[in-house]
Amino acid sequence: MSRYDAPLTDMRFVLFDLLKAEPEFARLGFADATRDVLDAVLEEGARFAREVLAPLNRVGDEIGCTLDSATGEVRTPPGFKEAYAQYVEGGWTGLVTATEHGGQGLPHLVGFPIKEMVDAANLAWGNFPLLSNGAVEALSVYGTEWQREVFLKPLVEGRWTGTMCLTEPHCGSDLGLLRTRAEPRGDGTYSISGTKIFITAGEHDMTDNIVHLVLAKLPDAPAGSRGISLFVVPKFRVAQDGSTGERNTVRCGSLEHKMGIHGSATCVMNFDGAEGYLVGEPHKGLMAMFVMMNTARLAVGLQGLGLSDRAFQNALVYANERLQMRSATGAKFPDKPADPIIVHPDVRRMLLTCKSLVEGGRALAYDAALQYDRFTHGADDAERAEGEALVSFLTPIVKACLTEWSIEVTYDAMQCFGGHGYIHEHGLEQLARDARITTLYEGTTGIQALDLLGRKVFQLKGAGLKLMLGRIRDFCEANGGKAELAGYCSALSELATQWQQLSVELAQRSGENADELGAAAYDYLLFSGYVSLAYWWARSVAALDEAQVQPAFAEGKRATARFYFERILPRTLAHVAAIRSGSASLMTLDAAAFDAGR
Amino acid sequence: MSRYDAPLTDMRFVLFDLLKAEPEFARLGFADATRDVLDAVLEEGARFAREVLAPLNRVGDEIGCTLDSATGEVRTPPGFKEAYAQYVEGGWTGLVTATEHGGQGLPHLVGFPIKEMVDAANLAWGNFPLLSNGAVEALSVYGTEWQREVFLKPLVEGRWTGTMCLTEPHCGSDLGLLRTRAEPRGDGTYSISGTKIFITAGEHDMTDNIVHLVLAKLPDAPAGSRGISLFVVPKFRVAQDGSTGERNTVRCGSLEHKMGIHGSATCVMNFDGAEGYLVGEPHKGLMAMFVMMNTARLAVGLQGLGLSDRAFQNALVYANERLQMRSATGAKFPDKPADPIIVHPDVRRMLLTCKSLVEGGRALAYDAALQYDRFTHGADDAERAEGEALVSFLTPIVKACLTEWSIEVTYDAMQCFGGHGYIHEHGLEQLARDARITTLYEGTTGIQALDLLGRKVFQLKGAGLKLMLGRIRDFCEANGGKAELAGYCSALSELATQWQQLSVELAQRSGENADELGAAAYDYLLFSGYVSLAYWWARSVAALDEAQVQPAFAEGKRATARFYFERILPRTLAHVAAIRSGSASLMTLDAAAFDAGR
C-alpha cells in the first residue's frame, strides 16, 4: 500500500517564505491566522490525512460505494462514514467559510494545503465534503434570507453536504441543451423533474440530509444557456423553521462504474417532481453556478497536485530501496548486491520531473489561493480587483495544468516501479486511475483552455495576463543582476515577451477566423502553465536567501529549478510552434475522411 | 462497449503501396505469399478479431482469470478457451513459423497486421498465444534435436503454449541477480528450484501442456549475467518419445491483481525441484533469451499500436455522434440541437494526434517486420546483414514509442468522451488501463532507451542508424523537388543531420562521463521515434501518387501528414534541448535531498 506523509516542510516554505503569508494575512485582516495557529492547523491536517484518511484509500478502491436499488440508498466504503464524523468533529468543514456563516474564516491560502492533504490521502473520500463549499458560496451570495438561514449552517457544520447537479445524459459542456424542468407550484416552491448524471456525492450515508443545487429550466425560459435557473433541492424537505420533514422525490437511480475513485459516489439522480426553491433570479442560474464552479475548479487542480505528490513520495522511497544494476560511473553501494535505482540518470529524470511539477505546481496553486484571499479581503477596491483578475486568470491554468501534470507524474512514478507499478499492491496504479478523472470533471482540459484564452484573455482584455506579466517583469528586474538568477531571469523575460506576443497574435487571428481560438487554446494553456512554473521556480530559488530552511532543502530547490529550466521548460518550444501553425492543419480534413483507413 | 473493426484499408496501403510487399515477398522467396492469399488472410483475421475476440474483451476485464489455490489451476475468463480453440483450428498459431517447423512460413510483414488485430480486439487474450512464438524461436535455434522434435510441433500447432520465466521478486531488469537454481541430476536432466514472478500465461486451462523457458543458475555459474543458463521446463513431464507424463513440480502460487489486462494470467510460478532440460550451452542462456525477447518487444509495440487504433476508432465515432455546442464559425448542422463535437478545433487536434501516431506508427512497425523478413530471407549476406541491423535498431523504437504513444492516444481518445470516457460502459477506460502495461513489460521505456543508444548506436557503431539515415537522405533526394514534398523533405533532411550530430556528440560525451548516456537516452529515443514517423508520413504522401486508393483516403493522409509536421514534429525541439543539456541537472542532487520538503 502506498504511504502518505504531507510535505509540511515544502508547504511551510511556500506559505511563509515564498508567499509571505504571515504579513499578508495580518494586512488582509485575518486576525486569527497567526503563525502558531497555522502551524497547528497544518500539523493536525497532516495527522488526520496520514492516520485517518490514507488508511482508507485502498479499501475505498476495492469495495467502493454500493447502491441498494430497492431503496435508492448508497452505502459508502467501510470507515468512510466514521472518518467523515471525525472531520466534522475537528471543525474542518467550515475552515475557510466566513465567520458570519458559521465558519472559521481562515484564508483560502490555509485551506489549500489542507485540501491538498485530504486529496492526496484519499481523493474519493475528499469528494464527499468537496461540493459543500461551492453550495455554501452560491447560497451565501445568491440565496434568500430564508435559504441562508436554513441551509448554510448545517452545510458549514458538515451536518449536511451539497452537490452540483449540472450534467445530463446528452449535455455536459453545453448546458444550454439541458432538459430538467422546474414548474412553479404557486406557493413559491417549484416542482423539479429530470435526470442528472455524474453527480458527485449525490447520495450517501454520511449525513442526515443532502442539499442539491440543480440547474433547470422554467416554463417561460429563453432558449439556450440564458434560460437556465438554479434551484436548491434537499433530499429531505425543509420546513420554514428549518426542521427536516419527509423524503423529497429525488433519488439515486444508479452508480457509475468508473476507472477510479471507486469510493466516491458518482450518481445518476432522478428528480421526479421534487420540491425545490429558486436561488437567485430566474434564468440567471448559470452565473450562480459559476461561483460554485470556479472554486471547484481550483479544488480539482489541488486534487491533481495531491495525487502527484503522493505518487512522487512513493516512487522516491522505492527508488532508494530497489536494488538493480550498478551506476554507470561505478558502484555506489559496493556492499550491496546492486545499487539502488536512484543512481541511474533516467530514474532521476523521472523523479525530478515529478518534483519539479509537484513543487512548482504547489507554488502556482497556493498563489492562486492568496489572490483569492486578496479578492475577498483586499485592503481596497484596487487590490480586490487585482486579486479577482489574477485568480480568475489562474483558475483554468491551475485546474488544467495541475491535472495534466498529475497524469504525467503518476505515469513517471509508476515507471520507476517497473512492472511492480502495475499491480495493486504498491498503490501506484490506483493513484494513476484516480488522477485520470481530474482532467475530465469540472470541465475538461479543452474547456479550461477555451476559458483561459477565450474568456480570461480575450473577453476580459487580458487583465489577469497583464498582471501576471507585470509580476514576472518586476521579479526579473529585481533579481536579474544576481549571479544565481541571471540565467533564469533572462529566459523568463523572453518568455514573458513571447507570452504577450502570442496573445496579441492570437487575438488578431481569431478576429479573422473564429477557429483560430480553439486551434491554439490547448497549446496556449500549456505554454502559460510552463512559463508560470518557471516564474515560481525562479522565485523559489530567490526566496532561499531569507528562508529558514535546511541545507538539503535548499539544495533540492536549486537542483530542481535547474532541472526545470534545462529539461522541462523547453517544451514551450513545441507549444509555440503548434500555436503559430494556425488552424488550417486542423480544420481542412472532412469529418468523413478521418477514418477512411478502416 | 467499444467496437473494433480492423483498419484493413490502411493496412493494405502500408503493405502493398508503401512497403511494396508483393514484389518484396516474391523476391525474398515467400512463394505462398501472393496477393490473393494475403487478402484472404487479412480478411479472415479481421473477421476473427471482430466476431470472436472483440466481444470477449469486456468479460475478460470484468471477470478476469481466477486461481484455485488448492490445485494451483487457473481458469481463464468465459469464452477465452473456446476462442483459443478456434484460433488453433484456424491455423493462426503457426502463421509465421518456418514450414520446416510445421508452420505456414508466411512473412512477419503478414504476421504483424494479424497481431495488431488480435491485440486491438483483446489484448489480454492475445497474451496467451504470444510467447509461444518466442519459445519456438529459442528452441529452433538453440534446442537439441530431441527438444526440437518434442516441443516445437505442439507449440507451433498451438496444442501447447510457451512462457518466458525471467523476472524474480528482487530482479527484473538486472537478471544478473537471479536466484533460481538448476542442479544436474546426473541423467542429463536438471532440477529447477526458485520463484518467478510476472509470468504471462504461466498457468491456464487452454492447452494440455505449458512449456516454460526458464532462466536459472547452475551450481558452478560465474557471478552476474554471464552465469545464466536457459532451461525448458514443461508443466507435464515429457518422455523421450514425446508423450506427456506426470505433473512436473512447477505450480502457480498466485495471480497478480493488476490495473488492466485482467483476462491475462500474470502468475507467480514456484519451481520446486521441477524437471528441466538445458537449452543451448551452460551459462549462455541470456543470449537465447534475447532471441525470444526481441520478437516479444516488437510484439508489445504492436500491442500499443492495436490499442491506440481501437481507441482512435471509438473516439472518432463518438466525436461524430455527440452533439455539443456550435462551431465557432457558425452552425454546421443547423437542423440538429448542436453540432457534433468533431467541428471543434481542439477535438480535431486530439483526433489528428491519434491518427498521426497510429497510422505513422503502423508504417514504422510494419517496416520493422519487413526488415526482419529481409534478415531471415534476404537474397544474400549483405541484405540479411542490412535487415538485421535495421530490425535490431528499430526494435527499441517500435517497442518504446508505439507503447508511449498508446498512453497518449488512449488519453486523447478518453478526453474526447469527456466524463463518459471515465466509466466502463464505453470501453475506453479499459483500453487506457490495458495500454498502461505496455511501457512496462518486456523492458520499460527507460530500458529500451538504453538499448537503443547504448547498444544499437554505440556498441554496434550505429550500423542501423546509418542505414536509417541513408534511407531518409535517399528519399529526400528523390522527392525534394516535388512541390508537395519539398517542405517535408527539407525538414527531414535537417532532422537527419541533427540525428547524426546528436549521436556523435553523445558518443563523445559518454566517453568522458558514463552518465551522459543514461541522461540522454530517453529523449534520444523519443527524438528518434518522431523523426522516423516524419519519414513515414512523408513516404506515405509520396506513395499516394501510385496507390489505388479512394480520394477520401488520400485526403486523410495528406491532411494528417501536414498536421504531423506542423503540430507533432516540433516536439523534437524540446527533446533536443533536453539531450543537449547533459547529465549535470540530473546527477548533482544528493539522493537524500530529493524529498527534503516532506
Side-chain angles (χ1 to χ4, degrees):
Chain A
M1 200 169 112
S2 71
R3 69 178 76 186
Y4 178 64
D5 299 299
L8 284 177
T9 308
D10 195 55
M11 287 173 161
R12 289 201 177 99
F13 172 76
V14 175
L15 258 65
F16 303 119
D17 296 307
L18 200 50
L19 301 178
K20 307 285 180 201
E22 279 184 275
E24 281 295 289
F25 291 162
R27 195 177 62 75
L28 296 172
F30 291 104
D32 293 342
T34 62
R35 177 73 190 237
D36 283 353
V37 167
L38 301 182
D39 276 333
V41 167
L42 291 173
E43 291 283 352
E44 180 55 19
R47 189 202 63 77
F48 188 78
R50 184 181 63 247
E51 294 178 10
V52 179
L53 297 181
L56 299 174
N57 196 41
R58 188 164 173 183
V59 70
D61 186 55
E62 289 179 350
I63 297 183
C65 290
T66 47
L67 171 71
D68 180 336
S69 51
T71 64
E73 300 293 316
V74 168
R75 183 187 295 264
T76 53
F80 270 41
K81 188 175 172 173
E82 293 74 14
Y84 184 79
Q86 286 189 54
Y87 187 77
V88 170
E89 181 68 23
W92 293 109
T93 55
L95 192 71
V96 298
T97 309
T99 48
E100 66 193 269
H101 299 307
Q104 299 189 40
L106 283 174
H108 276 78
L109 182 48
V110 180
F112 270 41
I114 298 299
K115 173 84 184 132
E116 182 195 329
M117 295 180 202
V118 166
D119 291 328
N122 197 326
L123 178 63
W125 185 93
N127 270 346
F128 288 96
L130 171 65
L131 297 176
S132 300
N133 293 331
V136 166
E137 282 167 43
L139 289 170
S140 59
V141 176
Y142 295 99
T144 62
E145 199 181 322
W146 174 74
Q147 287 167 359
R148 290 201 305 271
E149 255 172 39
V150 164
F151 291 107
L152 280 186
K153 197 158 182 271
L155 282 169
V156 172
E157 291 176 356
R159 290 186 287 114
W160 299 355
T161 59
T163 75
M164 276 169 67
C165 297
L166 288 71
T167 304
E168 300 183 3
H170 63 288
C171 71
S173 305
D174 189 356
L175 291 169
L177 300 173
L178 66 80
R179 292 179 190 151
T180 298
R181 297 281 148 192
E183 300 279 345
R185 286 170 158 174
D187 63 353
T189 70
Y190 294 81
S191 170
I192 313 289
S193 296
T195 298
K196 296 287 182 177
I197 64 168
F198 300 160
I199 306 309
T200 296
E203 182 57 65
H204 60 78
D205 55 6
M206 290 175 167
T207 55
D208 298 335
N209 206 353
I210 299 171
V211 180
H212 304 289
L213 278 282
V214 185
L215 291 183
K217 286 188 169 174
L218 290 164
D220 60 343
S225 61
R226 289 166 199 279
I228 299 173
S229 305
L230 181 66
F231 299 85
V232 56
V233 183
K235 176 179 172 184
F236 289 94
R237 289 181 191 169
V238 177
Q240 281 299 318
D241 65 359
S243 61
T244 48
E246 63 193 291
R247 188 75 165 78
N248 208 344
T249 47
V250 48
R251 188 181 158 122
C252 174
S254 64
L255 291 176
E256 302 293 356
H257 296 96
K258 308 184 298 292
M259 184 180 190
I261 52 167
H262 297 156
S264 174
T266 306
C267 304
V268 173
M269 297 303 296
N270 298 315
F271 295 84
D272 184 15
E275 184 172 298
Y277 322 107
L278 182 67
V279 179
E281 289 176 51
H283 319 317
K284 297 273 172 73
L286 220 48
M287 211 160 62
M289 195 51 94
F290 266 112
V291 169
M292 300 182 68
M293 204 141 50
N294 276 329
T295 51
R297 285 177 172 181
L298 287 169
V300 174
L302 289 172
Q303 295 183 343
L305 176 63
L307 293 171
S308 297
D309 182 59
R310 184 174 188 167
F312 167 54
Q313 175 182 11
N314 283 276
L316 196 50
V317 170
Y318 190 78
N320 275 300
E321 284 173 357
R322 174 78 171 173
L323 308 178
Q324 210 78 170
M325 299 191 283
R326 290 295 178 189
S327 161
T329 53
K332 297 292 175 283
F333 294 81
D335 52 320
K336 295 185 177 176
D339 286 334
I341 60 174
I342 199 169
V343 304
H344 303 308
D346 195 59
V347 172
R348 288 175 161 255
R349 175 187 63 78
M350 295 188 283
L351 292 171
L352 284 163
T353 300
C354 297
K355 186 173 167 73
S356 69
L357 297 176
V358 167
E359 294 183 5
R362 183 172 294 127
L364 173 65
Y366 289 10
D367 173 58
L370 176 58
Q371 301 312 321
Y372 194 94
D373 290 327
R374 293 178 67 216
F375 161 41
T376 53
H377 287 73
D380 51 32
D381 284 352
E383 179 172 20
R384 287 192 292 273
E386 194 175 300
E388 183 178 20
L390 272 168
V391 72
S392 86
F393 176 73
L394 292 171
T395 295
I397 299 176
V398 168
K399 198 286 183 181
C401 292
L402 266 61
T403 60
E404 289 284 335
W405 293 333
S406 80
I407 305 298
E408 178 170 359
V409 169
T410 55
Y411 178 84
D412 277 340
M414 265 181 76
Q415 285 297 115
C416 289
F417 279 78
H420 295 273
Y422 197 66
I423 60 176
H424 290 189
E425 190 186 342
H426 292 284
L428 267 285
E429 63 86 33
Q430 185 192 342
L431 296 177
R433 282 185 290 109
D434 287 355
R436 190 64 190 83
I437 189 60
T438 62
T439 67
L440 293 166
Y441 65 9
E442 302 303 338
T444 62
T445 300
I447 294 293
Q448 305 303 322
L450 291 176
D451 180 50
L452 176 67
L453 186 58
R455 185 166 158 71
K456 306 298 166 60
V457 175
F458 292 170
Q459 281 183 37
L460 302 180
K461 302 207 162 78
L465 173 63
K466 278 176 204 155
L467 290 167
M468 191 69 202
L469 293 174
R471 297 168 88 189
I472 296 178
R473 289 192 182 116
D474 290 349
F475 173 80
C476 291
E477 268 179 38
N479 294 278
K482 297 177 188 162
E484 186 172 26
L485 293 167
Y488 298 157
C489 288
S490 126
L492 256 180
S493 298
E494 272 182 43
L495 284 165
T497 303
Q498 196 170 33
W499 200 354
Q500 188 171 29
Q501 281 169 351
L502 289 169
S503 308
V504 172
E505 281 171 37
L506 286 172
Q508 193 169 3
R509 272 165 37 198
S510 298
E512 290 157 14
N513 174 355
D515 277 332
E516 291 286 321
L517 195 169
Y522 168 82
D523 287 284
Y524 181 87
L525 170 76
L526 270 291
F527 175 88
S528 303
Y530 286 117
V531 178
S532 300
L533 228 55
Y535 169 67
W536 285 109
W537 271 112
R539 273 193 61 174
S540 295
V541 172
L544 291 172
D545 285 344
E546 293 180 15
Q548 299 288 325
V549 295
Q550 296 294 316
F553 181 89
E555 186 200 340
K557 286 291 177 198
R558 291 198 167 95
T560 310
R562 176 180 177 179
F563 170 86
Y564 182 81
F565 273 84
E566 291 187 6
R567 288 195 165 246
I568 303 291
L569 193 56
R571 295 178 185 181
T572 51
L573 298 169
H575 290 300
V576 170
I579 291 167
R580 293 211 158 122
S581 72
S583 67
S585 73
L586 298 176
M587 304 311 295
T588 47
L589 185 59
D590 190 79
F594 270 76
D595 210 19
R598 209 157 298 272
Chain B
M1 199 169 112
S2 72
R3 69 178 78 185
Y4 178 63
D5 299 300
L8 283 177
T9 308
D10 194 55
M11 287 174 163
R12 288 200 178 99
F13 172 75
V14 175
L15 258 65
F16 302 120
D17 296 307
L18 200 51
L19 300 178
K20 307 286 182 200
E22 278 185 278
E24 280 294 289
F25 290 162
R27 195 178 62 73
L28 295 172
F30 291 104
D32 293 341
T34 61
R35 176 73 190 239
D36 283 355
V37 167
L38 301 182
D39 276 335
V41 167
L42 291 173
E43 291 283 353
E44 180 56 19
R47 188 200 64 77
F48 188 78
R50 183 180 63 247
E51 295 179 9
V52 179
L53 297 180
L56 299 174
N57 196 42
R58 188 164 173 182
V59 70
D61 186 56
E62 289 179 350
I63 296 184
C65 291
T66 47
L67 171 71
D68 181 336
S69 50
T71 64
E73 301 292 316
V74 168
R75 183 188 295 265
T76 54
F80 270 41
K81 188 176 171 172
E82 293 74 14
Y84 184 79
Q86 286 188 55
Y87 187 76
V88 170
E89 181 69 25
W92 294 108
T93 56
L95 192 71
V96 298
T97 310
T99 48
E100 66 194 275
H101 299 307
Q104 299 189 40
L106 283 173
H108 276 78
L109 182 48
V110 180
F112 270 40
I114 298 299
K115 175 83 185 132
E116 181 194 328
M117 295 179 200
V118 166
D119 290 329
N122 197 325
L123 178 64
W125 184 93
N127 270 345
F128 287 96
L130 170 65
L131 297 176
S132 300
N133 294 329
V136 165
E137 280 166 45
L139 288 170
S140 59
V141 177
Y142 295 98
T144 63
E145 200 182 321
W146 174 75
Q147 288 167 359
R148 292 201 303 273
E149 256 173 37
V150 165
F151 291 107
L152 281 185
K153 195 158 185 272
L155 282 169
V156 172
E157 291 176 353
R159 290 185 287 114
W160 298 354
T161 60
T163 76
M164 277 167 66
C165 297
L166 287 70
T167 304
E168 300 183 3
H170 62 289
C171 72
S173 305
D174 189 355
L175 292 170
L177 299 174
L178 66 80
R179 292 179 190 150
T180 298
R181 297 281 149 191
E183 299 279 344
R185 286 171 159 171
D187 62 353
T189 70
Y190 294 80
S191 171
I192 313 289
S193 296
T195 297
K196 296 286 183 177
I197 64 168
F198 299 160
I199 307 308
T200 297
E203 182 57 66
H204 59 77
D205 55 6
M206 289 174 167
T207 56
D208 297 334
N209 207 354
I210 299 172
V211 181
H212 304 289
L213 276 282
V214 184
L215 290 183
K217 285 188 171 176
L218 290 164
D220 61 344
S225 61
R226 288 164 200 278
I228 299 173
S229 305
L230 181 66
F231 299 86
V232 54
V233 184
K235 175 179 173 184
F236 288 93
R237 288 181 192 170
V238 177
Q240 280 299 315
D241 64 358
S243 62
T244 49
E246 62 193 291
R247 188 73 164 77
N248 208 344
T249 48
V250 48
R251 187 181 159 123
C252 174
S254 64
L255 291 175
E256 302 293 355
H257 296 96
K258 308 183 300 291
M259 183 181 192
I261 54 167
H262 297 155
S264 174
T266 306
C267 304
V268 173
M269 297 303 294
N270 297 316
F271 295 83
D272 184 15
E275 183 172 298
Y277 322 106
L278 181 68
V279 180
E281 289 175 52
H283 319 318
K284 297 274 173 72
L286 220 50
M287 210 161 62
M289 195 52 94
F290 267 111
V291 168
M292 299 180 69
M293 206 140 51
N294 277 329
T295 50
R297 285 177 171 181
L298 287 169
V300 174
L302 290 172
Q303 295 184 342
L305 176 62
L307 294 171
S308 297
D309 182 61
R310 185 175 188 167
F312 168 54
Q313 176 182 9
N314 284 278
L316 197 49
V317 170
Y318 190 79
N320 274 299
E321 285 173 356
R322 175 78 172 174
L323 308 178
Q324 209 78 170
M325 300 193 281
R326 291 295 179 190
S327 162
T329 54
K332 298 292 175 283
F333 294 82
D335 51 322
K336 295 184 177 175
D339 285 333
I341 60 173
I342 199 169
V343 304
H344 303 307
D346 194 59
V347 173
R348 287 174 161 255
R349 175 188 63 76
M350 294 189 281
L351 292 171
L352 284 163
T353 300
C354 296
K355 186 173 168 75
S356 69
L357 296 177
V358 167
E359 295 183 5
R362 183 171 293 126
L364 173 64
Y366 290 10
D367 173 58
L370 177 58
Q371 302 311 322
Y372 193 93
D373 291 327
R374 292 178 68 218
F375 161 40
T376 54
H377 288 72
D380 52 30
D381 284 352
E383 178 171 22
R384 288 191 292 274
E386 193 174 300
E388 184 179 18
L390 273 168
V391 72
S392 84
F393 175 73
L394 292 171
T395 296
I397 299 176
V398 168
K399 197 287 183 182
C401 292
L402 267 61
T403 60
E404 289 284 334
W405 293 332
S406 80
I407 305 298
E408 178 169 358
V409 169
T410 55
Y411 177 84
D412 276 340
M414 266 180 75
Q415 286 296 115
C416 290
F417 279 79
H420 296 273
Y422 197 66
I423 60 176
H424 291 190
E425 189 185 344
H426 292 283
L428 266 285
E429 64 86 32
Q430 185 192 343
L431 297 177
R433 283 185 290 108
D434 288 354
R436 190 63 190 83
I437 189 60
T438 62
T439 67
L440 292 166
Y441 65 8
E442 302 302 337
T444 61
T445 300
I447 294 292
Q448 305 303 322
L450 291 176
D451 180 50
L452 177 67
L453 186 57
R455 187 168 155 70
K456 305 300 167 58
V457 175
F458 291 169
Q459 280 183 38
L460 302 179
K461 301 206 161 77
L465 174 63
K466 278 175 204 155
L467 290 166
M468 191 68 203
L469 293 174
R471 297 167 88 188
I472 295 177
R473 290 192 182 116
D474 290 349
F475 173 81
C476 291
E477 268 179 36
N479 295 277
K482 298 175 186 163
E484 186 172 29
L485 294 166
Y488 299 156
C489 287
S490 126
L492 255 180
S493 298
E494 272 182 44
L495 283 165
T497 303
Q498 196 169 34
W499 201 353
Q500 188 171 27
Q501 282 169 350
L502 288 169
S503 308
V504 172
E505 281 172 34
L506 287 172
Q508 194 170 359
R509 271 164 38 197
S510 299
E512 291 158 14
N513 174 356
D515 277 332
E516 291 286 321
L517 195 169
Y522 168 83
D523 287 285
Y524 181 88
L525 171 77
L526 270 290
F527 175 88
S528 303
Y530 286 117
V531 178
S532 301
L533 227 57
Y535 169 67
W536 285 110
W537 272 112
R539 272 193 61 175
S540 295
V541 171
L544 291 172
D545 287 343
E546 293 180 12
Q548 299 288 324
V549 294
Q550 296 294 316
F553 180 89
E555 185 199 342
K557 285 291 177 196
R558 291 197 167 95
T560 310
R562 176 180 178 178
F563 170 85
Y564 182 81
F565 273 85
E566 290 187 7
R567 289 196 165 243
I568 302 291
L569 193 56
R571 295 177 185 183
T572 52
L573 297 169
H575 291 299
V576 169
I579 291 168
R580 292 212 160 122
S581 73
S583 67
S585 72
L586 299 176
M587 304 311 295
T588 47
L589 185 59
D590 190 79
F594 271 76
D595 210 19
R598 209 158 299 273

